[in-house]
Structure formats: structure tokens, C-alpha cells
Amino acid sequence: MGNLKRNMSVNVVLVEPEIPQNTGNIARTCVVTGSVLHIVGKMGFSIDEKHVRRAGLDYWKDLELYTYASLEELYQKYPEGDFWYFSSKVARNFDKAVYSDRCFLVFGKETAGLPKKLLEANEARSVRIPMQAGQRCLNLSNAVCVGVYEAMRQNSYFHMK
């Protein structure tokens, strides 16, 4: 499956992220959990911006990061990928999914989430994080953290300390 450096890892996929501080926080989560960050499509900022690096601080140098022009490019690189799509607009709770030790957790941009057509095409692999009725959604970096730790829990935390 592709050329990831690790044998086991959670893969975080951000589709068109818009807020540099969120991406910086997600990068930090990826480094401390041994996860890999994949950024797809146009970003609303440059990854060289000080806001991204400040949020990721000393962790940025240790981040395993890949970028892609489109989801199709990511799918071509990892045709056997275990993809899970996170959205507040679907019914299945994230803890009901079974995540492999090389899963890809896909998150949409902050203002719009993942496209409706993508969720419809992947309905059986789309999950949500429960929250109070009438609330929009969690902050993206918090949602990523919830997803990553559930995938890690299901895989015995990849034998981390």
C-alpha cells in the first residue's frame, strides 16, 4: 500500500483545510500518535505560514506529510486503503466502525465538511461523532483527535507506551 514509512499507522486525510491553526494542531496530534498526515486539494493557507508552524511548534520537523491535488490521486496511491469518512451529516457513530491498522480517516474543510456526493458514494464507510442536537460540529482538530484515538484504541495503541 503506497510508500508510507510505517508498517502500522493511522492516516489522517484533510480535504481542503482552511484554517492554519487547525492544521498545525492536527500535525501535532499526528506526530505524537505516530499518525501520517495527508492533505488533499487546495489549502486556504500555505503550510509555510507561521500560524501552522506555531501550532505544530517543535513537532513539524517530525511530521510525515504528503500532499495530493485530488482524492483520486490519493486513491490511486493507496488502492487498498481502508477509508473512513467523518461528517456530522451521517447517521453511523464513529465507534461502530472497525478501523484497520492502516486506516485513512478523511475529514472535510472547516466551513463545509465533505461533499454530499462523496458521502453518498461511501455511505457504508461514513461516520459521525455524536454531539448535542442543534449543534453544528466539533472543531476540526478536536474531531481528528477523537477519530485517531478511537482507531488507535481498536489497534491496541500500536503498542505505544
Side-chain angles (χ1 to χ4, degrees), residues 25-148:
N25 288 334
I26 292 164
R28 184 174 181 167
T29 295
C30 287
V31 171
V32 302
T33 61
S35 300
V36 179
L37 180 58
H38 305 264
I39 298 178
V40 176
K42 184 179 177 186
M43 292 176 268
F45 54 89
S46 164
I47 57 174
D48 294 330
E49 283 188 32
K50 66 179 180 178
H51 297 299
V52 176
R53 296 202 182 265
R54 185 179 307 144
L57 216 51
D58 299 338
Y59 298 89
W60 197 259
K61 67 181 177 13
D62 297 322
L63 177 65
E64 187 172 348
L65 171 67
Y66 300 94
T67 59
Y68 309 87
S70 66
L71 276 172
E72 291 71 29
E73 183 182 344
L74 175 69
Y75 296 150
Q76 287 175 0
K77 188 170 181 181
Y78 303 101
E80 303 298 319
D82 177 27
F83 290 91
W84 290 94
Y85 303 87
F86 280 70
S87 173
S88 61
K89 302 171 187 123
V90 300
R92 183 182 191 185
N93 284 346
F94 76 104
D95 62 336
K96 302 301 182 208
V98 178
Y99 304 100
S100 73
D101 61 4
R102 294 287 294 260
C103 61
F104 288 77
L105 310 181
V106 183
F107 297 85
K109 59 183 164 184
E110 290 90 342
T111 59
L114 293 170
K116 185 177 180 179
K117 286 185 179 186
L118 179 65
L119 295 171
E120 289 172 350
N122 295 283
E123 184 178 355
R125 301 189 67 75
S126 295
V127 295
R128 68 186 303 274
I129 299 170
M131 62 189 99
Q132 292 293 319
Q135 299 303 313
R136 194 168 42 114
C137 61
L138 284 173
N139 173 277
L140 179 61
S141 62
N142 292 331
V144 168
C145 195
V146 168
V148 166

